[in-house]
Amino acid sequence: MPRNKKKKKEGASNTIDANRRPAPQRATKPKVKVLTQPGYATGDMFGIAAALIDDEELHVVISKGDGTFTDHTDKADSIKKFYEDSGISEDRIHIVKVKQLRGAGNRKLENEAHKYKREGYTKGVNYGTDYIARKYSPALRDKLKERWKVNINDDENQAIKRWLEQKGIPTSGNNLLILWSRFSGKGGDIHIEHDTSYTGIRQIVYRVADMYDAIIITGDKGYVKERGSKFDDIVNEVKSTIHPSKVFNITEFWDEKTPSLLAWGGNTRFGQFKLYEYFEKNFTHVKHLGFRSGNLEVMAMLGYTVRYMEEEGSESGRRMLAWKDIGRGKTLKRGDATGYERLLLSQPPTRSGKFLQEKIKEINTKIEEELNEEISRIIRTTGPKTDRQIADLKIKHKPEIEKKFRGEKRDYIGAHYAPRKKDGTPPTPISKEEKSRFYEGFNDKDMELIIKYLRPERWIDKQITYDPIIPQKRKDYKKLLEIAN
């Protein structure tokens, strides 16, 4: 029987070696995530800028009018410039021209975003808010300060100090309050109900004047520029009643164009940030307060102590709750909380705001009534339901009912009732008769909530020589008309 021959050992083939060796890594293109931003959405640009700064794979597509129409809310160019000034490369900022900024324009914006997407995803304007809720940290705060050129050098520090001294504003101290004025709603933008009340500012100033070394009013002068003098009236009243150097009006200081302001870049957006950084470094305790706005979001992202006011039932109130501290300095999405926390008011302080809040509540009541009727009809048709089933039915059917009232509601949260229109169309302001039903200023309940935040830690009330309680007031237009005649 023949013996089995030993197999001759074969040399390893190139094919076998190739199988054993790790495959060469292909050069992969980075994932591209794309945000869509309508050209009117300026309030979202700070959160989006922060996300673009922190994530270099992120792109943004901004819609801009193609020149065939006029829309004064079109701020695409200024949004793009802010992103570029923030150090975001031009190849990540894309402009798409549209025939209208809303409606079909938004659809074209979304279609354009898909052209730049590579194995990533597209998101809307709320992505910036969400990103901060997930990713905010001391490291991101410092990165934003660097990109937004907030850190002050010695020359700028001295220049800001000289500018403040020229205005008689304290340059250092213990407690400083910064009150933010907003009038963009009455100027033709959305959310008139978040505009500032002169009476409300006066109420706050009188209640806390003895608690602060200085109180600064900043932001918008007013929707009619010459009415900025109303803040001067408050300042002068405090000078004669409380203290000669206590309250200061620097609203729209960036338009001043004086050599002392230009010396530290106070006419630029980043220069404006430097002023608040100066205050943060030269006062022991600084607090910011105003109605919800993009400017206040920046103050929070830069690490300052901020509270924003918002009324119950606000139609867009849920968005910023993503930044809320749910405990141990964390948000629900596990990022560090910025310190941007809400003071939920029962009413806005302006008569216009109270009118609009009332109308929104009326619409929401109609929605709820129609929803309940629909649920009752379903039960009559299909039989009894458990509480859980009823809750699920409400979740399912509420969006279609809300859709029916969307146009009506848009009038009250948009610019429909603005006394001044940016698009040049005739204004349709709230009638004086309607507004006369409401009081100007904060009610007692809301004032106590505000004072709880503003009262310095371990503050002990002192005896004062003036009455700090400024009540709400009411305008009776019929009486005013009789007096005028």
Side-chain angles (χ1 to χ4, degrees), residues 325-330 334:
D325 185 343
I326 63 166
R328 298 185 178 181
K330 294 291 184 180
R334 308 315 300 159

Side-chain angles (χ1 to χ4, degrees), residues 191-205:
H191 294 305
I192 302 171
E193 69 277 14
H194 292 164
D195 279 357
T196 297
S197 161
Y198 292 112
T199 299
I201 291 289
R202 188 166 174 262
Q203 287 175 305
I204 292 172
V205 165

Side-chain angles (χ1 to χ4, degrees), residues 166-331:
Q166 288 175 7
K167 295 184 172 299
I169 299 173
T171 57
S172 62
N174 189 31
N175 293 314
L176 172 66
L177 172 60
I178 301 175
L179 296 174
W180 285 82
S181 166
R182 178 195 191 270
F183 282 98
S184 54
K186 287 188 173 73
D189 286 332
I190 60 174
H191 294 305
I192 302 171
E193 69 277 14
H194 292 164
D195 279 357
T196 297
S197 161
Y198 292 112
T199 299
I201 291 289
R202 188 166 174 262
Q203 287 175 305
I204 292 172
V205 165
Y206 268 74
R207 283 292 296 274
V208 303
D210 62 320
M211 302 177 188
Y212 284 86
D213 298 323
I215 300 171
I216 290 174
I217 305 170
T218 190
D220 298 336
K221 280 185 181 295
Y223 77 95
V224 178
K225 296 302 180 185
E226 58 269 23
R227 294 188 69 186
S229 61
K230 286 201 171 187
F231 288 134
D232 290 333
D233 293 341
I234 294 172
V235 169
N236 291 330
E237 184 181 325
V238 170
K239 278 183 179 179
S240 61
T241 307
I242 302 175
H243 194 283
S245 299
K246 184 67 75 167
V247 184
F248 305 90
N249 172 22
I250 62 168
T251 51
E252 299 185 22
F253 65 85
W254 51 86
D255 287 336
E256 189 180 293
K257 302 296 190 295
T258 60
S260 58
L261 177 121
L262 297 177
W264 51 276
N267 61 317
T268 67
R269 192 181 292 276
F270 291 161
Q272 294 166 40
F273 296 168
K274 289 181 190 292
L275 177 62
Y276 303 111
E277 179 72 3
Y278 176 94
F279 288 139
E280 190 72 17
K281 290 191 173 193
N282 288 278
F283 284 81
T284 309
H285 304 288
V286 183
K287 291 184 178 180
H288 295 254
L289 176 67
F291 269 84
R292 180 164 59 82
S293 72
N295 284 326
L296 282 179
E297 291 175 27
V298 172
M299 297 296 105
M301 285 190 281
L302 293 177
Y304 311 151
T305 303
V306 181
R307 292 292 180 275
Y308 70 95
M309 295 178 284
E310 190 168 50
E311 77 287 353
E312 291 176 359
S314 174
E315 284 297 297
S316 55
R318 292 179 186 173
R319 181 174 73 89
M320 292 316 303
L321 290 180
W323 291 11
K324 179 180 173 59
D325 185 343
I326 63 166
R328 298 185 178 181
K330 294 291 184 180
T331 69

Side-chain angles (χ1 to χ4, degrees), residues 132-168:
I132 295 299
R134 290 185 291 112
K135 299 288 189 177
Y136 189 74
S137 66
L140 178 52
R141 178 200 63 209
D142 293 343
K143 188 184 289 188
L144 296 178
K145 283 191 172 188
E146 180 184 347
R147 289 290 192 93
W148 289 340
K149 302 175 175 64
V150 173
N151 298 312
I152 310 170
N153 61 42
D154 290 340
D155 290 342
E156 290 168 334
N157 186 70
Q158 291 303 315
I160 292 172
K161 184 178 181 181
R162 285 192 294 271
W163 181 78
L164 291 170
E165 287 172 342
Q166 288 175 7
K167 295 184 172 299

Side-chain angles (χ1 to χ4, degrees), residues 11-123:
S13 71
N14 290 336
T15 304
I16 294 172
D17 280 349
N19 289 335
R20 289 175 181 165
R21 288 195 302 266
Q25 294 295 315
R26 291 183 180 179
T28 57
K29 293 181 179 180
K31 289 183 179 180
V32 174
K33 296 161 282 187
V34 186
L35 307 185
T36 58
Q37 183 175 11
Y40 57 80
T42 54
D44 299 277
M45 74 177 182
F46 301 111
I48 291 175
L52 289 165
I53 287 168
D54 199 46
D55 183 354
E56 295 187 357
E57 292 181 354
L58 193 60
H59 289 227
V60 63
V61 181
I62 308 164
S63 61
K64 172 181 168 64
D66 64 2
T68 61
F69 67 99
T70 300
D71 188 333
H72 293 279
T73 66
D74 187 348
K75 303 294 183 185
D77 290 338
S78 61
I79 293 171
K80 182 174 184 286
K81 184 178 186 306
F82 180 72
Y83 293 159
E84 290 172 349
D85 290 346
S86 298
I88 298 155
S89 60
E90 289 187 39
D91 62 354
R92 293 199 286 136
I93 308 167
H94 313 281
I95 298 289
V96 56
K97 292 193 175 181
V98 296
K99 292 190 181 298
Q100 59 186 66
L101 289 183
R102 295 162 179 82
N106 280 337
R107 286 193 293 275
K108 185 175 180 182
L109 179 59
E110 290 168 8
N111 291 337
E112 187 74 11
H114 283 280
K115 294 180 183 179
Y116 301 100
K117 185 183 73 170
R118 286 201 305 267
E119 299 181 24
Y121 49 77
T122 61
K123 296 286 184 180

